[in-house]
Structure formats: structure tokens, C-alpha cells
Amino acid sequence: MALRDLLTTINPFSSHQETNDDNEEFKLPSMASLVIMLVMNFLLQVRHLHRTLQRSLTWSAPAHIGIIFIIVSSANEYAEYLGGNATFSGVVIGIPTGFAVLSLIPLTQCDKGLYKMPLHISCCFAIIGHVAYAVAYRANFLYLILIGRCLTGVSFTMFMYCKRYCTDPRIIGIRRRTTLAGWQVVCQGLGLSLGPFLGGLLYKIGFSNSIFNGYTSPGWIMAGIYAGFWVLVTQYFEDIPQPPPMTMMELSLPVAKGLEIEHCPNYSSAPATSLPLPIDESFRAQLSLITLSQWGVIICMCWFSMVCFFILGSWEANLPVFGAATANLRWSPFDAGNFIALGGIICFPFLLANILAARRIQDRKLLAFGTTVGLAGLTTFLSILYTDTVNYSSLFACWCTVALGFNIATAITLSLLSKQLPPYWNGRTSIVIQCSNFTGRVTGTIWGGSGVSVGMMNFVILEIVMVGIGVILFTTLWNKLKTKNG
């Protein structure tokens, strides 16, 4: 068998239905560029979960544990070491997401629909931010931590660009988008497993060195990784070719051209205008073509995007708190980190299977399956809380089920929208979905950290209610959620 045939056989992006490499529905960008975007998503997940676990430490370190960490560079303890208080620690932990949201607005205005510039900006700010965060120990300058965290927050904008790239109709066929979204979820699973494990391992370095120690080592290592990755981006990433300039005739048909979309039967032809439409009028014209049912689909996907990350973030933050407060567990933060990482490892094979399933099963069915699995984990957890039968095995089964179900569901939101709406909406929906993700992650972490204080029954009931609202939405819109597989 020729090498090319062998690679085609084992290629996870290949499909038995594909008979022509130029088939529009199955198109893909260059493999090097695609791998770069997926690796970037993985690096962001490792760092993002690294910070999420830091956030959990703010609430989870009871006095009798002392200085024991799930991960190395705890922002809470690091800030206190340099003279900060608990309020400052909270600002340090939460500020990157705010800077990511603020940075999205100007960046999307000047990216010209391309990806190489955002990649360069993200790598640059990630390196500078991590170096500043690490140097703060040696400089003994508290506010350098805050500056470093703000800079790394700018690099979080690539979360949106990674999602947009994998649903971009210019380079990704309609039968590839859910598959690629599945690969992004695999990156989430890898980050969920490797983040706590590597952090705990690095903490064993200790604090004998004022430059490379338990607080600073993740910053230096991540800065080095991003520097090497930046070189690969410069050498191998191929951006989307710029289209030729539009003629006056083409400019006079902005609405009609936008209606040439993939699998969107609800759109009909619109009369062409004789003069170019101003941008604001063109946008209003585009909005007027979105039907009520399609607005319902948009709201449904945004809700699920927020809910999934709310629940995942709340559990990641709550497990160290709940485990430390439960009499028959009494976890240290390091124990909780290993517990979370083990759950990610267990889920990993199922997330890989989800990639294969995406090529044969409709998005709406995968969404329903993931939601059902996650909801089963929540209701089971509620029952063991009610019967006071919480132990390591029962809690682990609930965590694995919740993590698996809602990770699968996160793969669907943007890919389904990209198949429902015109191609020129992809950038807008990417921003909306990413803002929903950020909202869910931040509010979920806050809710998870306060879960023990508000009562664990209330903690779970709120999440079940949120999922229930989502179930009502996608049940009502079930027929409108139908899209092509893949």
C-alpha cells in the first residue's frame, strides 16, 4: 500500500462518503494550518484550565491544609506572597477574561477575516504576559502579576478564532465542521487532564531559586512553548487567500450574494438593488432576512454554549471545595487536581469516538445525547446528596458523566449555527458563541466556588434548571435544528 493511501486510511478527517478531493462539502485547508489551529486551541485550554484551578484555590484552601496546591503558580498565594490581599487576588484571577472580551472588538474590526495576524498577536501577548507573570517574583513587584495577566488575557481572543476557523465556509466544508469541533473538544479533554497533572509536578521544583521556582515555572515554560509555536506559525501557517476586489456590479448586490448559502432552505432570493447599500443598511437588510425560527436556533445555541461552560467551570471550581469539606474525603487541593485530571482521562476515548459519530449522526442528535448524559450525571449527584451517600466512587461517576456529556454538547453549538446561517454570518456567530462561553466560564466558576456555602443541593438544582430550559428550547425547535452530518 502506498504511503499516501495509508495516510488516507488513518486520517481522522477522511470520510467513506468522499469520492472527490474537490468536493465542496468535504473541503479542508492545508493540514499544517489546521493542525496549528488545533494545537493553539490545546495550548489555550491547558492555560485556561490552569487558571480555572487557580480560581478554585481562592475558595478551597482551608487553614489546616497549609500551602498545598493543585497546580504550581497559584495566583492567590503568589499575590499574597508579594503583599496583595484577597481582593487583589480575585482581580488577578478574573481579569484575563475581561481583557479577552474587550480585545475581541478591535481585533475583529481589523483582521480582514483572516487568521495569521490574530495568531501573531496571541503568541506575542502570551509570551510577554507569561514572562511578566514570572518576573514578578524576582522583581518583588505585585502589580507586575496584574500586568502579566492582562496581557495573557489578550491572547485568549484566539478561543474565538479557533472556533471560527473550524467553521469558516471559505475553507471548511459543511460536512467537516462538527468533526473539527469534536477535535476541539478533544483538546479540552487533553487540557483537563494535563493541566492539573503538570501543575502539580512543577510545584515539586520548590522555591530555592528566585527565578525558576514553584510560582514562576509555569510562566517560563509556557513562554518557551509559545515562542517555539510562534516560529511554526510563521513558517507553516497558510492564511486564507484574499478575494479579488469586487466590481461595482457585485457591490450593488450585497444581500443577494449573501443568500447563496449552504443548506439553508429558509432563505429565498431577494431583489437586487441598483445602488450599493451603506454598511448599516446592508446589515439591517441581512437581519431582516433572519426568520423567527432561526432567531430561536441562535438563542438556543447561545444558551447551550453558556450552560455547558457554566456547568463545566462550576464543577472544576467546586470539586476542590466540596472534596475538602466532605468528611469521608478530606481532599487536599492536590488530591482534587488528580481527581479532575483522572476524569478527563476517562472521558478522552469517548471524545475521540464522538469525532467518528459526528460524520454519521446529525448535530441535533449529538446535542441531545450530550445533554442527556450530562443531565443524568447531575440528577445522580442530586440523589446521592439527598441520600447522603457521597463517596469517592459515586462522585467520580457523576463527574465523568457530567464532563463527558457537556463536553460533547459544546462541540455542536457553533458548527450547527454555521450550517444554518449564511457564510457571512460566521464571524458574528463566532463572537456571540465565544462571549457566551466566557460568560458561562466566569459565572460558573464563581458559582462553583460558592457551592458549599449556598448549599450543594441548591448548587445542583440551579444547574438542572438551566439544562431543563435548554431541553425545552431544543425540543421546541427540534425540526429547525436539522443540518447535514459531519
Side-chain angles (χ1 to χ4, degrees), residues 163-457:
K163 290 180 174 64
R164 194 179 84 179
Y165 187 86
C166 290
T167 56
D168 196 321
R170 296 171 294 176
I171 52 174
I172 307 294
I174 195 171
R175 291 187 181 273
R176 297 293 198 184
R177 297 174 194 170
T178 305
T179 302
L180 295 183
W183 277 105
Q184 289 184 318
V185 172
V186 168
C187 292
Q188 289 178 198
L190 285 173
L192 183 64
S193 302
L194 292 179
F197 173 75
L198 293 178
L201 190 63
L202 287 172
Y203 180 69
K204 296 184 181 295
I205 292 172
F207 298 90
S208 60
N209 190 301
S210 62
I211 296 177
F212 193 87
N213 56 49
Y215 289 137
T216 65
S217 54
W220 291 119
I221 290 175
M222 290 303 296
I225 291 174
Y226 271 103
F229 180 72
W230 199 0
V231 173
L232 296 178
V233 169
T234 303
Q235 292 293 321
Y236 297 107
F237 185 79
E238 300 174 10
D239 216 330
I240 299 174
Q242 285 278 41
M246 296 178 67
T247 65
M248 289 300 296
M249 179 62 72
E250 290 171 325
L251 286 171
S252 69
L253 303 173
V255 177
K257 285 179 67 63
L259 297 177
E260 297 172 4
I261 63 174
E262 306 160 299
H263 188 67
C264 195
N266 294 324
Y267 281 87
S268 58
S269 299
T273 58
S274 57
L275 294 174
L277 290 174
I279 293 176
D280 57 345
E281 292 184 13
S282 176
F283 181 59
R284 284 197 293 268
Q286 294 168 11
L287 284 176
S288 68
L289 294 171
I290 304 296
T291 65
L292 184 61
S293 63
Q294 287 166 333
W295 278 118
V297 173
I298 293 173
I299 293 171
C300 181
M301 293 302 101
C302 289
W303 178 260
F304 267 103
S305 180
M306 186 274 292
V307 168
C308 289
F309 279 92
F310 179 91
I311 293 174
L312 291 172
S314 67
W315 276 67
E316 290 159 9
N318 179 261
L319 283 172
V321 188
F322 179 69
T326 303
N328 61 338
L329 295 177
R330 293 298 180 190
W331 286 343
S332 70
F334 186 76
D335 295 331
N338 290 336
F339 181 89
I340 294 172
L342 183 59
I345 293 172
I346 296 297
C347 292
F348 186 73
F350 297 97
L351 297 179
L352 286 176
N354 180 57
I355 296 173
L356 300 176
R359 289 153 50 184
R360 298 172 175 83
I361 301 176
Q362 292 180 11
D363 290 6
R364 58 178 181 170
K365 294 181 180 179
L366 289 175
L367 177 64
F369 174 76
T371 303
T372 302
V373 172
L375 184 60
L378 292 175
T379 53
T380 302
F381 186 50
L382 182 63
S383 68
I384 65 175
L385 287 173
Y386 182 76
T387 57
D388 196 21
T389 56
V390 177
N391 55 47
Y392 191 97
S393 298
S394 61
L395 182 59
F396 185 71
C398 294
W399 164 233
C400 288
T401 308
V402 168
L404 176 62
F406 292 111
N407 269 300
I408 289 175
T410 60
I412 305 303
T413 53
L414 184 55
S415 63
L416 190 149
L417 275 184
S418 72
K419 299 174 184 179
Q420 289 273 0
L421 297 176
Y424 56 78
W425 274 85
N426 190 55
R428 296 163 185 156
T429 53
S430 300
I431 294 174
V432 172
I433 291 294
Q434 189 57 53
C435 288
S436 300
N437 292 350
F438 282 147
T439 301
R441 176 67 72 176
V442 173
T443 56
T445 303
I446 295 171
W447 180 245
S450 58
V452 172
S453 61
V454 301
M456 290 301 296
M457 295 282 286

